[in-house]
Amino acid sequence: MPPKVDPRFKVAHKEAMIGVALVIFNFIWWFGFAYGLGKGDPADYQFVFGLPAWFFYSCVVGLVVMIVLVTFVVKVFFTDMSLEEEEEEHV
């Protein structure tokens, strides 16, 4: 008989994939704004609250978006489970 696979591994794998998706989203957000708005002559940059627009949208707004997104994902999609070893019942 094959060894019993702990169902927590399936949950952990799903949550890890969600984490990887969040990292990829964060990188695309940052890269898109940093290199999309940041190219060109620095003399032509627009500023938001004294920061270059590319920096403001990629780093400041990106941080806020990621905090909200990660909080939402953890509350909605992640499962609270015990990490203690479960004792097998012997009958």
Side-chain angles (χ1 to χ4, degrees), residues 29-30 32-39 42 44-62:
W29 177 283
W30 176 84
F33 279 107
Y35 287 98
L37 294 176
K39 63 183 175 185
D44 297 333
Y45 285 174
Q46 295 180 1
F47 292 87
V48 179
F49 297 118
L51 299 169
W54 68 265
F55 181 84
F56 179 78
Y57 291 116
S58 66
C59 295
V60 178
V61 174

